[in-house]
Amino acid sequence: MGRAINKAVTIAEILKRKMPLHQITSLTSCEIVDVFEPLEEGLDIVESRRFVSCMVITLSLDGEGMDINDIGYQPPLPPEEIQPGDLNVRRQTTEQELPAPPPSKGDISAEGDMKKPPEVIRKPSPQPPRPSPSPPLPT
């Protein structure tokens, strides 16, 4: 709803490029009622009504139960446009193949010995005193 529509569309498009998905998109609007209750006695409750845009994106791998004649229907992308990405088998590197990381500048002394990095001790900063609550106003 509302501002989240952009993210929902982006996620649906990313998923459609990873696997063959059927999609149906529908747009609606929803009425939102905000109720503000007063903190003080004697005041009225205030209601605010507003309409928010809503989008429903339905994704399906097999398209079963989807109406392909729906105005919001989109068929799966052609196979050449699908890039599985994470499904690709990657070459696994063992620890033996990994090179040792180079030492940082502060870790080696002039003699070539490894030095222990200096310890940093942090003390929490004192918190400022909180102001006392103001006295109630006379009615």
Side-chain angles (χ1 to χ4, degrees), residues 8-25 57-64 66 68 72-79 81-83 87:
V9 170
T10 301
I11 290 169
E13 290 301 316
I14 289 171
L15 289 173
K16 284 175 51 179
R17 282 167 175 66
K18 298 286 182 189
M19 58 188 75
L21 292 172
H22 298 262
Q23 175 180 340
I24 291 183
T25 306
I57 300 174
T58 307
L59 300 171
S60 172
L61 274 171
D62 55 10
E64 198 171 304
M66 291 188 135
I68 62 170
Y73 175 77
Q74 295 179 22
L77 294 172
E81 290 186 31
I82 295 177
Q83 302 166 353
L87 299 178

Side-chain angles (χ1 to χ4, degrees), residues 83-101:
Q83 302 166 353
D86 294 339
L87 299 178
N88 290 339
V89 178
R90 294 188 176 125
R91 188 181 124 211
Q92 303 229 347
T93 308
T94 62
E95 288 184 20
Q96 297 166 353
E97 295 177 41
L98 292 175

Side-chain angles (χ1 to χ4, degrees), residues 1-2 7 17 28 30 43 45 47 52-53 56 59 67 71 75 81 102 105 122-123:
M1 288 192 328
K7 290 192 186 241
R17 282 167 175 66
T28 60
C30 302
L43 297 175
I45 295 175
E47 286 188 6
V52 178
S53 300
V56 177
L59 300 171
D67 180 14
I71 195 162
E81 290 186 31
K105 292 181 181 179
R122 296 184 186 200
K123 295 181 182 177

Side-chain angles (χ1 to χ4, degrees), residues 121-129:
I121 300 173
R122 296 184 186 200
K123 295 181 182 177
S125 60
Q127 297 292 327

